[in-house]
Amino acid sequence: KLSKEKILFDNARAVSSAYGVLSLQSSMHPGHYPGHTYFIIDKEGIIQYTLDDPNMAIWNDKLAEEVNKLA
């Protein structure tokens, strides 16, 4: 299945600050930089899924599975 979801990176930390996720378990620099935290946000802007991964893995299959649940 071809996916049309967008992946955004919060380089300026504005979104991470707004959501209060700069000090989650995966953050290497708590309070300053986000770690490997993934959010799936629906079309209405509501967070439907969150994964904070202190192992800093890339969970493409898991994230795709969660996105497909929203379809």
Side-chain angles (χ1 to χ4, degrees), residues 9 11 13 22-23 28 37 41 46 50-51 54 57 65-66:
F9 295 94
N11 294 333
R13 299 181 306 266
L22 291 174
S23 294
M28 291 174 60
T37 306
I41 302 172
I46 299 170
T50 302
L51 172 64
E65 176 185 321
E66 294 298 326

Side-chain angles (χ1 to χ4, degrees), residues 4-69:
K4 294 184 180 182
E5 289 74 33
K6 295 179 182 178
I7 298 174
L8 305 174
F9 295 94
D10 186 21
N11 294 333
R13 299 181 306 266
V15 176
S16 299
S17 294
Y19 281 99
V21 296
L22 291 174
S23 294
L24 296 178
Q25 187 177 3
S26 70
S27 179
M28 291 174 60
H29 304 280
H32 299 285
Y33 293 99
H36 276 220
T37 306
Y38 304 90
F39 295 97
I40 296 175
I41 302 172
D42 66 18
K43 292 178 182 180
E44 287 77 38
I46 299 170
I47 295 174
Q48 295 294 327
Y49 178 79
T50 302
L51 172 64
D52 185 57
D53 183 18
N55 295 321
M56 296 189 177
I58 296 175
W59 295 94
N60 293 337
D61 293 340
K62 177 65 175 162
L63 295 171
E65 176 185 321
E66 294 298 326
V67 166
N68 288 330
K69 288 179 184 178

